[in-house]
């Protein structure tokens, strides 16, 4: 997921340096310098100083506005080249600067940088509106869009023109002046609220640490203990153990700790993020965000924010997204009820004298796994070494797409943990660069994400595509390899799928490149890539024991395969609860909302099992409230997974299975290389020969499906 989404008009970049006074004064600012060095220039991460951000942003925004104004002021008849293509070539310096800005916001945050964000985010929103509300510019875009010459443009040029036109209209370009002013006001206020929301969340993830003594570690596997010891040492408390308030720390603790009292404490702290009634509480912020989004949608002519957001998504309407979610909800909840019954049986047999609560779920599910499948995931972990699995990921991409990865040294990085890799194709031709920032640390937001530092394009000249993967794996003890959980390994393949989508892009224009696709389509290449991790080919070569070097035993792999659909009830229900609440919050219109109460009442109405909570409770739902990004869009993962499961079946049906060369080539040609240059529904049809079928998704999750 990319944190910042700017309008198409501001994503591209400017080679033509229009000199303006603001820029001349600050042109020794390192953040404004063109990227230099190998690979048509790389980000100068070693030159970044927080105090340079504000003057750099001011200068780059001014420069970008001047470039855009020059296009708007032309007297010539508007054409694709002098208007749309010209816009694709503006804002290049700002785009490079956003790469630094995004990283210092997500990977390298600090109080000093947060102050910059607080000041600059509303001004960046204002800047975006100055472009979309530029009347003369919009008239030119509209003229190209309605031009009789449009059929003579290439299909990609026509799609780009459509994208600019609809993005401008959807941002309010066609409104009257007072309405435009109100939209701009709303966007600036929202930008401030998003920043506060994210900063509060980061605070609550970093401010709470559970300090444990040796006696508190009962049940925890050695790898979790080592991670907790390292986290404590990093915080200056050697000899103790720190359980952090992040997902990667919370999940293994809840899975393995025998201490029910501590499980409850860790659980409560984690799910109270942003909801503690203190100065970092997000509830008021959320209520205001929802009200402003509802008002903005009305001004723009849509019934609700959800309708506005979904118009250009693959789903098109909230109703279609709801229909899919509701179809999956009922079997998912039924699976949870069946699983809980099995857990309760185990707890009763142990004489635990408890009713399964949310902080027991992962713990007893693990016991069910052991009892039913004789599978202990701790037996698996010693085979899941970060470095080896990374090589496995590279290897699978080599088999599928012919890509090769080799480490490059000497490129500037923003932290010593970051490694850099050159990507080449089967013929040894340069494809791009991949940066990898794997470990959790202070100032880095939780979760995992992909980022494009420079997107692929070709309309003026080829550039080096630069993408990155970021995650929060917990470093092991010094000198020991980093061992991943099964889920962490899946996540790593997931994010790498986004990276491949960026790297394999072969389009002309940057606004249509790589992962710049609708939200409910973007998770499809990444989810699909998860399917290569558990293949025999990857496991037998790359899942090797960190001490003995022996490959993972076949019997263990067989056991894992048997648990394919294990715990899908939990995974699907916790996800869907979040996705449904997100959609309902944004379908509720202008009625004032108390987020805690709304969540409670709607979940009761849905029949949410009491043993589970939403994967992201509303006060910590960064996907939805740290930007417009995934707002009314968390359903996208399920929508994408419908496509994913269907395409995965195409591989399974092929003679070569997941490594079938013909299917892989077709995937590359119809989907992975196309970016947003072709409508996603058409991309899917070109691959599969038909529209997506929900049956594959239901089979993949082990839910009954008759259709
Ligand atoms: Zn993703």
């Amino acid at each position: 997921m990319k944190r910042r989404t700017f309008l198409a008009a501001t994503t591209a970049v400017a080679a033509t340096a229009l000199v303006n006074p603001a820029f001349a004064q600050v042109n020794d600012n390192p953040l404004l310098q063109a990227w230099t060095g190998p690979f048509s220039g790389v980000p100068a991460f070693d030159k970044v100083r927080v105090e340079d951000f504000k003057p750099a942003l001011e200068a780059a925004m001014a420069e970008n506005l001047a470039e855009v104004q020059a296009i708007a002021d032309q007297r010539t008849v508007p054409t694709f080249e002098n208007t749309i293509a010209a816009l694709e070539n503006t804002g290049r310096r700002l785009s490079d600067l956003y790469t630094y800005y995004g990283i210092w916001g997500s990977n390298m945050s600090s109080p000093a940088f947060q102050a910059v964000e607080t000041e600059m985010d509303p001004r960046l929103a204002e800047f975006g509106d100055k472009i979309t509300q530029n009347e003369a510019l919009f008239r030119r875009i509209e003229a190209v869009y309605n031009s009789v010459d449009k059929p003579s443009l290439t299909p990609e040029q026509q799609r780009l023109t459509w994208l600019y036109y609809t993005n401008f209209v959807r941002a309010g370009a066609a409104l009257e002046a007072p309405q435009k002013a109100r939209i701009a006001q709303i966007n600036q206020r929202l930008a401030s609220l998003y920043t506060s929301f994210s900063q509060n969340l980061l605070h609550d993830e970093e401010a709470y640490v559970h300090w444990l003594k040796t006696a508190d570690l009962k049940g925890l596997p050695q790898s979790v203990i080592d991670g907790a010891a390292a986290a404590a040492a990093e915080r200056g408390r050697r000899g103790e153990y720190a359980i952090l308030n992040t997902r990667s720390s919370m999940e293994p603790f809840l899975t393995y700790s025998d201490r029910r009292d501590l499980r409850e404490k860790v659980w409560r702290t984690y799910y109270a993020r942003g909801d503690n009634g203190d100065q970092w509480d997000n509830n008021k912020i959320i209520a205001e965000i929802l009200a402003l989004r509802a008002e903005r949608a009305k001004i723009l002519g849509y019934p609700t924010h959800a309708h506005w957001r979904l118009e250009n998504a693959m789903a098109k309407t909230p109703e279609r997204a709801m229909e899919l979610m509701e179809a999956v909800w009922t079997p998912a909840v039924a699976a949870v009820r069946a699983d809980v019954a099995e857990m309760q049986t185990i707890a009763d047999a142990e004489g635990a004298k408890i009713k399964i609560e949310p902080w027991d779920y992962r713990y007893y599910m693990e016991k069910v796994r052991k009892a039913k499948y004789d599978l202990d995931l701790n037996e698996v972990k010693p085979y899941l070494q970060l470095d080896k699995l990374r090589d496995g990921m590279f290897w699978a991409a080599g088999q599928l797409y012919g890509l090769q990865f080799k480490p490059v040294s000497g490129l500037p990085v923003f932290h010593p943990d970051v490694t850099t890799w050159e990507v080449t194709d089967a013929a040894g031709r340069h494809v791009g660069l991949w940066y990898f920032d794997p470990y959790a640390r202070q100032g880095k937001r939780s979760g995992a994400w992909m980022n494009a530092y420079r997107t692929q394009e070709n309309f003026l000249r080829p550039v080096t595509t630069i993408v990155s993967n970021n995650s929060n794996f917990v470093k092991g003890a010094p000198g020991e390899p980093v061992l991943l959980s099964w889920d962490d390994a899946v996540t790593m393949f997931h994010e790498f799928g986004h990276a491949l989508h960026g790297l394999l892009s072969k389009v002309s224009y940057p606004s249509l490149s790589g992962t710049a696709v609708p939200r409910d389509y973007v998770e499809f290449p990444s989810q699909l890539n998860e399917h290569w991790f558990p293949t025999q080919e990857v496991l037998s070569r790359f899942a090797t024991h960190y001490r003995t070097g022996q490959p993972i035993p076949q019997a263990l792999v067989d056991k894992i395969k048997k648990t394919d659909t294990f715990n899908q009830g939990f995974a699907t229900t916790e996800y869907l609860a979040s996705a449904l609440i997100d959609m309902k919050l944004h379908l509720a219109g202008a009625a004032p909302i108390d987020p805690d109460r709304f969540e409670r009442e709607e979940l009761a109405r849905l029949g949410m099992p009491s043993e589970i909570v939403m994967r992201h409770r509303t006060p910590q739902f960064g996907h939805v409230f740290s930007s417009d990004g995934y707002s009314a869009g968390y359903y996208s993962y399920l929508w994408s997974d419908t496509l994913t499961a269907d395409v995965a079946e195409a591989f399974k049906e092929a003679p070569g299975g997941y490594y079938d060369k013909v299917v892989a080539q077709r995937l590359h040609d119809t989907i992975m290389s196309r970016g947003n240059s072709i409508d996603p529904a058409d991309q899917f049809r070109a691959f599969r020969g038909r529209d997506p079928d929900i049956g594959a998704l239901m089979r993949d999750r082990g839910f009954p499906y008759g259709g």
Side-chain angles (χ1 to χ4, degrees), residues 166-188:
T166 51
N167 278 351
F168 270 66
V169 171
R170 286 168 46 70
L175 297 175
E176 299 301 323
Q179 294 171 310
K180 279 184 182 167
R182 179 62 188 146
I183 294 275
Q185 222 173 27
I186 290 175
N187 286 339
Q188 286 168 54

Side-chain angles (χ1 to χ4, degrees), residues 1 494-495 498 523 526 637:
M1 145 176 169
H494 174 101
E495 296 307 331
H498 287 306
E523 296 300 333
S526 52
Y637 291 91

